[in-house]
Amino acid sequence: MPLQVSDCIHDATILDFEWENSAAKDRHHHHESNAFLIALGMVHNNCEIWGFRSTFLQDRQHRHRMAFEATRLQCITCDVRCMTYSLSFYGWHSDEETLSLARDDGRLPPLIAASGTVFGEIIVWGIVHDERRDNVLMNIVDLWLSQDIVSRNDPTPRLRVPPSFRLKGHFGSVFSVKFGPEAEIASTSDDRTVRLWTLTPSSSSSTEARDPKSVRNTSRILELQSTHCYTLSWTGWGHTARVWDVSFARSPHDNSLLLISAGEDGVARIWSPFLTEKEFRLPLRGHRCESLWTVENCDGIVVTGGNDGSVKLWDLESRTRDDGAIAYVVPSMDASNADAETTIELEDVATSTTRKKKYKKAKVKSQICGMEFFSINSDGLKSKLLVATREGSLDSLDLTQQSWTTHNSWSNKVISSVTGESVDVDSSTGVCIAVHPCGSRVVVGTTEGLLILSDILGHHDSKKPSQKIAFNSTSHRPIQSLSWVDNDNLLVFYARGTIIRYTFHVDGPKISHSMKLGTIGIPLSFAHDAARRDLYVGDSRGNLAYFNLNSSLSPPCDSNDNTSTEKSPDSLLARVHAKEHVTGVVVLTSTGAILSVGNDGCVNECKKDSNGQLYQVYSIPIANVTGLRNIWSSDDGVVVGGYYGNDYVVTDVLSGYEFVRIPTGGRQRRHEFVLDSAKNKMIDFSVPISYGMAVCTGQNSIDIYSRGMPQKADFRYSYNIGSTLHGETINRLCWVECKDCCAYLLSGSNDCTVKLSRYKDNEFVSVKELPPHESCVRGVCSSSHPKSKSSLLVTCGGKLSMEFYLLDHSSCADGDPASVSFLCSYRTLGVSSIDHRMNVVRAIPVVPSDPNCHMVVAADSDGNLHIVVISEVALPRKTTIGNILHGNGRPVLCLDLLHFLDRILIFVGTTAGEILVWDLPSHVDVCLGDVGSNGIIVLPDSPLFTINAHSSGINDLSAAIPTREIPLVVLCSVGDDQTLATYLFTFVEHSSCDNRSIELSESKSVVAPSASSSPMKAVKVVNDDSSLCCRVYTTGQDDCITLWRLELQPLAIKLMSSSGLSTEGSCIDCMRIKDSSGSEQEMIAIGGEGIELQSIDLSVFKAATKLYEANYLLITAGAGFSADSGLSTYECAPDEYKELCDPSKLMREANRFQRFWLNFSSTYLKTNPHLGYELLDLWCAGGLLPNLKRNAKNNTSATEFSPWWVYTSNVDCHFHRFKSFQDSVCEIHGSADTFICSCGIGYSDGQARLGVQWDQWNQGVPEFKSCKQPRVQVTCDALKSALNDSNILMCESCQLPLRPNVLMFNDTDENVLRSISTQRDRYQTWESQVEDAISNKKSRLVILELGCGINVPAVRQESEEVLTDCAQIIQSQEVDSRGSVCLVRINPKNVEGVALRHEAEYISVKANAKEALEQIDHLLRQMMR
């Protein structure tokens, strides 16, 4: 339940009533509902105590729901009256010992508050602690629990209390105050410090020693104020900006006290106040934001939240472990023992602090040419590091045993794989290594192109002689890098762009594939898709190449044979990572997508189309890294490793969670990193199991960082929702709709980039990254002519620049992406600084349309409007100029353009809260021959009018024409004052021989003064031509998107719904998507720290709007409406139903026929109508449709007639159970709750039916008109009794079998037809009255069709006939007197519409009737607010 209180809330704590004292139990024994207290700490040093009582209520559907009653019991105010930025409670839930004592005594436990003021002071004061005052509060609670106080929301007398402690030490506003486990107080401030305060004796002479347990008791804290005081015991410096929040924690390793703070510098910092004043560990980075607002610790998990709209979780155990580097020196090779294997035990492992001593003593003889982590089997943990040096040595380090093993030299006693002869190898040419997946062999590559395969002894049989084989491709050198693809295949990258794949056979290595990149780059990284036999290679120039390996080369005679043809890439995607190195590539096995990382700091996603060609999907920058080196993937997520300065960082791409941060000392150092997972699992990137990193710090020295992280496989980190797209905040975005195909989203960001993304099949596919601006991109927009297959794209930013592009989407219908071409740039005369920028831009199509022309209007930081007309034909010169409308000097933040009465209206919002409206002609002269002189015919000297709309700057505005019939313009604006302002303008047009102009004739306004709890940043108005309302979407710093309903007659703005966002909304745009069935979705794109998509079912919203505006309602219900109650439809009915739905069966099988229908009637009567019936009743009789003409008069009499009617083919009689429908229903197939005499089944139109069987039946039947009791109303009890009796039910008058009052196949019984005919006549009369109201009284009719299928189409046809008849009537009337008619068809299938006239409207809702009615009901209730 929402609870509105008198002030902003800092903190809240709850107290459940768990009375352990028997007297207390007896005192409250009569109270059956749950009760609890909540204390609310507020901004101005106030505390309110509220009592909540919960009860269970039963609604009309006999469903139970919990309800709460809230009562304000007491208000407590501290004597220090000032505004506070923080407040924290201590007590109630903090002190179980005190709670237990209080329960035993039957009184309230104590409660203390600490508040941080704007003057740098911390106030500690008691809320519940004084016995006399507590007895008063307890008496109030007793009265409330005994229900003598039912509810009290009126102003409660305030109780004032003095402060107990006043803590001084901060030099700025105190933003956060938290109590610790032993009553310590942690605080943060504007002075960038974190401080810890402890309660100690006030003087050294005090005889009372500090007892933590006694102080921890809440009741003791305030009792000690005469002998104790809070003193500053620790101050932490480290944050570079204001510190917003702090939280207490315990070290998972030694249980010592920790503090975790979050600040405006965008990081969270961990402190150990009793160990050091400096940071205890590296800061927690990972948010894509400028400021972290909050931090909290819960059971070893640190939770941080920032202004990027995301929540990050951190494992405190892993972040506080001491993971310092261990320094190792590679053993020097002894030439006299080159082929002897030795093991060196490291008795005293050197750490980074003693490494300098070791360096002074060590004689540097070798240089490291390669190192790699490995294991002795492919599935094991990679706990060994193999190091090869340019001295020819080969050493392995066992990280578990911390011991070196020196293996046989890789460069001595090498033989050729071709000739078998000895080969001289220059060990100084070694450049790279690759360890076999099984850890038994290693290949060393040299700059001379030699590849040496050497066994690693010590893993299998140490007595086995070492085998070292040399092989090469004589025409290719030098070697860049090596990698094993699998156990039998080695991939070799050469510096000149060649890639060779060697396959190892029994007789030695053979070349199986030889490939050539065809670029000037060096191959650096690869990914191999074994299932598809695809190879993807990234090079040093940002390119990504694709090779299909299905076609192998002819086997060469030996590894040195170079006669193989070099294969060119099947596809080459240029500059995926600009011109930076592509350092890592992976293939997602689930989707086939290719992910790559590079030194540009971006993760790029590519896909392969049906023709085998690569295309780019996305390029996403990773926060807090400047260059990426590694990438790992699984179905759970993607993790990347890269550099932030000289720190190596491992980050989760989706969540931004930072797993590892290692200070390497320099990114140019050779390093090797490995990330391992749990056995028999793909890598679980929520918590990586272990990692290892080796960094070369000298010619033969290595620093090792390693960690075996705790396994928490059941823990998952929550991911951000939406698409990141840009590296910083997105300032503007817009949809670019293409006719009969997909849509595009154009976005611009603070990171100076502009991206055009294709939206199709519920996903984004990147089409083009437009050239970046010199400064941030402040505005983007698009414009297109009707039926055109091209659109103008515009971007603007710093130095008053605009760029124009043409998007050609003529190929979209064939599935190909649209093409983008550059048109020209806009520059102003003179020199503009980078701070002089365009803030917003809008474009609109204008005449002439051959070629297509567009008017572009941009607003700058000086309040000027830059107006230029752009043709879709490229100019010979690539720059253009325009016209400037000079404003009032205040910076313009937003604008919008609108075609209206052959004019173009420009709505401009400024930082002064003003809206300026300019009027321009829609016809322009475009001087295409005179390059760069595009211009407007006439420019106005001043605005048409000005409005003072807001008390502060206007962040966004949006204009629309709500209806085509009335010259109205609606305008909505939002600003920092949290206000949504709405204006309705009426214009008149003036024409003369030389000029046409418009003038404002009337202006109406409505303001929602507290439309948001934070500044509002964006607004979008969407109109419906057929409705007297508009939809308004707003978003801002409250991380929500809100939907409003703007009513025009009378003007009113109503809140409909609000939905949370994962980011702060800075811009918004909408687009409609319509499927083949006619159902519509409205897709809303919200930009901020990424892009989030939300959607609403536009069909449901339109249906609710039409129903809300309806004057008359026709409900047409088919079998699908009954199906939601659990009854069968005709297509699902058993075969027996179709057989016995024939009155002739009564003659031949009377008992079977009657018992079947008795069972059917019993089922109908026992089945409860579903919620949809009750909703319809509430809409009609309950007043939820406020515009229904409930006092409408009959034309032929003074009697009133119902504004609603039901037309149904259902025989279940469920509408009869609601009084509102009993006299306004037409059941065209009868009703199963009535049985009638069967005397009339043998007659048709008063004549006996022909046929032998009918003759025999009619001979035993008296004339059916003489039956005195043709109808019998049945009940459930009567049906139950009849079913238990084996006798046939007979008519008491005619002694003939009874039959149901249901119209069956081939049924001519006038006893059935008579009642149906009576209802039809009444319905036809009602329909005639409604048609007259539509034609003469501008009334609105809605036909609500529910569950009408095509198998029995009678009701469906009636809906369409009424729609057609009313449309014809409307067409024949004058425009001023016309009403409207709309068909709302609700069905889970077959919702296709009919061929409509212009005057008719049709809305299809593809859903079950009950589900759709519930959704509509929710919207109607919002409209009724």
Side-chain angles (χ1 to χ4, degrees), residues 839 860-863 888-894 908-916 950-955 976:
N839 287 327
D860 65 21
S861 51
D862 286 340
N888 56 11
R890 298 302 297 262
V892 176
L893 300 179
C894 53
V908 179
T910 72
T911 56
E914 295 179 333
I915 298 178
L916 288 72
H950 294 263
S951 59
S952 58
I954 301 176
N955 292 324
D976 288 338

Side-chain angles (χ1 to χ4, degrees), residues 1212-1277:
D1212 51 24
C1213 312
H1214 284 180
F1215 279 106
H1216 279 285
R1217 303 191 191 185
F1218 298 88
K1219 185 177 180 181
S1220 58
F1221 300 123
Q1222 290 177 357
D1223 296 328
S1224 55
V1225 62
C1226 178
E1227 297 164 313
I1228 63 172
H1229 290 164
S1231 57
D1233 66 341
T1234 304
F1235 275 68
I1236 60 176
C1237 178
S1238 59
C1239 60
I1241 64 174
Y1243 291 85
S1244 176
D1245 293 332
Q1247 303 295 322
R1249 298 179 68 173
L1250 302 178
V1252 175
Q1253 60 177 352
W1254 294 115
D1255 292 340
Q1256 293 175 353
W1257 171 265
N1258 289 333
Q1259 288 176 3
V1261 175
E1263 187 173 348
F1264 72 92
K1265 293 182 179 180
S1266 64
C1267 182
K1268 298 179 180 179
Q1269 193 176 5
R1271 305 174 67 83
V1272 177
Q1273 196 82 17
V1274 296
T1275 62
C1276 289
D1277 292 338

